[in-house]
Amino acid sequence: MARLSRRALVLAVMLGGLGLAPGLAHAACKGVAPDQKLQNTFTQDIGRSLDQIRADGWMEFALYDDFRPWSWSEDGTPRGIDVDLANLIAADLGVKARIRLVNSSETLDADLLNYVYKGATVGGRVSDVMLHVPYDVDYACRFDQVVFTGQYAVERLAIAYGTADYPEKGPVPAVFRFDPVGVENDSISDFFLTSVAHGATADKVHRYKSTASAMAGLSAHEVMAVMGPRAELDANLAPGLAVHEPPLLGLAKSKWTLGAAISLQHRPLAYAVDDAVAAGLEDGRIAAIFAGYGVDFRPPER
């Protein structure tokens, strides 16, 4: 189940026709009653305030485990884009970052409950900040326990391919009626190629346990292309491979904004995190983090 939540939440964001600009949040929420009620949470304080974090000298970030290039453990040390971003935010707040690598649940709702505003039923606790949360206005309107803030990047679907197989230009989904293509099993790319395209490419789709595994298959010439999130493709590019972002006709949204989630009880912390992200975007530090992992960076509209 470790990767199911990320697939499910991206699928929901894309196919639901969501994704208004962040600045429209208040207008979009007008007249919308939240699905999640504050009385369903504990009555006591959850998590730590900004003042307490500064007094303690550290803050904890919940990041997805085994999720290269975003966050993973290497020889016991957390690494990845989101890890470096957590360190950037903590440094701007004058504290140290502590990284908590977590498994994802079956839904984003459950991840937010487990790690942001309540804690798992058995032995659970919340973290100060959760990163890599897809930002969407309509979704945020349904949640009154969580502040969605700190938008730091735009992820989008793309196609990696062998330049020897496609010397003139990168392939588009239509060619996968004839050419083999790799995808992560049960991902948005899998869904798009086999369902949105009305099954026209189903017999040419090769399913792998992860996008990284699919990219290894591309390098081994098992497939001619791989479709998946741009960052995961970029992080696994090898000589003789390239990546591009063609139009994906029939898909409501092929890109989504990534941000942070923080308990509503700690709005001052949310403002401080957003200020740190804004500063990192303005002075190029966040772009440099992406470049350090060989990942193409696209800033969000804030």
Side-chain angles (χ1 to χ4, degrees):
M1 290 293 186
R3 300 183 65 86
L4 181 57
S5 172
R6 288 189 287 273
R7 293 198 298 267
L9 62 89
V10 169
L11 183 65
V13 169
M14 289 184 177
L15 300 184
L18 309 180
L20 297 176
L24 300 178
H26 295 294
C29 290
K30 185 177 181 180
V32 177
D35 292 343
Q36 310 294 328
K37 302 299 183 183
L38 280 174
Q39 58 262 35
N40 292 336
T41 64
F42 296 136
T43 56
Q44 69 266 29
D45 288 342
I46 299 298
R48 297 182 303 151
S49 68
L50 177 59
D51 287 343
Q52 186 63 55
I53 286 171
R54 284 177 166 151
D56 292 341
W58 59 272
M59 61 190 299
E60 184 179 85
F61 293 82
L63 309 178
Y64 289 118
D65 193 12
D66 192 23
F67 193 27
R68 296 175 184 248
W70 298 101
S71 47
W72 76 96
S73 179
E74 187 171 302
D75 298 326
T77 300
R79 291 200 59 203
I81 293 170
D82 286 339
V83 174
D84 291 356
L85 177 62
N87 286 318
L88 181 153
I89 293 170
D92 274 27
L93 270 61
V95 299
K96 299 291 185 182
R98 293 185 181 179
I99 305 301
R100 177 187 181 190
L101 296 177
V102 301
N103 289 328
S104 59
S105 309
E106 293 187 359
T107 66
L108 178 58
D109 289 32
D111 285 341
L112 295 174
L113 182 150
N114 288 336
Y115 307 125
V116 177
Y117 72 88
K118 186 174 182 180
T121 303
V122 179
R125 62 180 175 83
V126 299
S127 296
D128 299 310
V129 180
M130 186 172 188
L131 295 181
H132 213 90
V133 176
Y135 179 84
D136 176 78
V137 171
D138 289 352
Y139 184 82
C141 287
R142 298 196 293 107
F143 258 91
D144 59 3
Q145 309 99 322
V146 178
V147 178
F148 297 89
T149 187
Q151 291 81 38
Y152 58 90
V154 175
E155 180 62 297
R156 60 272 192 204
L157 290 178
I159 295 176
Y161 60 95
T163 54
D165 294 320
Y166 304 100
E168 296 184 1
K169 62 180 182 178
V172 297
V175 308
F176 301 137
R177 290 175 294 176
F178 315 103
D179 299 344
V181 59
V183 296
E184 178 181 343
N185 185 46
D186 197 26
S187 65
I188 183 65
S189 300
D190 186 1
F191 178 87
F192 174 70
L193 291 177
T194 57
S195 298
V196 176
H198 306 293
T201 61
D203 62 335
K204 293 297 183 181
V205 174
H206 294 234
R207 296 176 175 84
Y208 295 82
K209 66 178 181 179
S210 66
T211 302
S213 298
M215 290 295 287
L218 177 58
S219 294
H221 306 290
E222 297 171 358
V223 293
M224 296 172 65
V226 171
M227 182 175 175
R230 177 69 187 259
E232 295 177 60
L233 300 181
D234 285 343
N236 290 280
L237 281 179
L241 304 181
V243 61
H244 76 140
E245 300 174 33
L248 301 175
L249 301 179
L251 188 60
K253 292 189 70 64
S254 60
K255 60 184 179 180
W256 55 101
T257 299
L258 300 174
I262 297 165
S263 170
L264 182 70
Q265 295 187 35
H266 303 300
R267 276 194 177 274
L269 173 60
Y271 297 143
V273 168
D274 192 61
D275 287 344
V277 170
L281 289 170
E282 184 175 359
D283 64 19
R285 285 178 293 159
I286 292 179
I289 289 173
F290 279 75
Y293 290 90
V295 172
D296 186 71
F297 173 66
R298 181 175 297 179
E301 294 183 8
R302 289 170 52 90

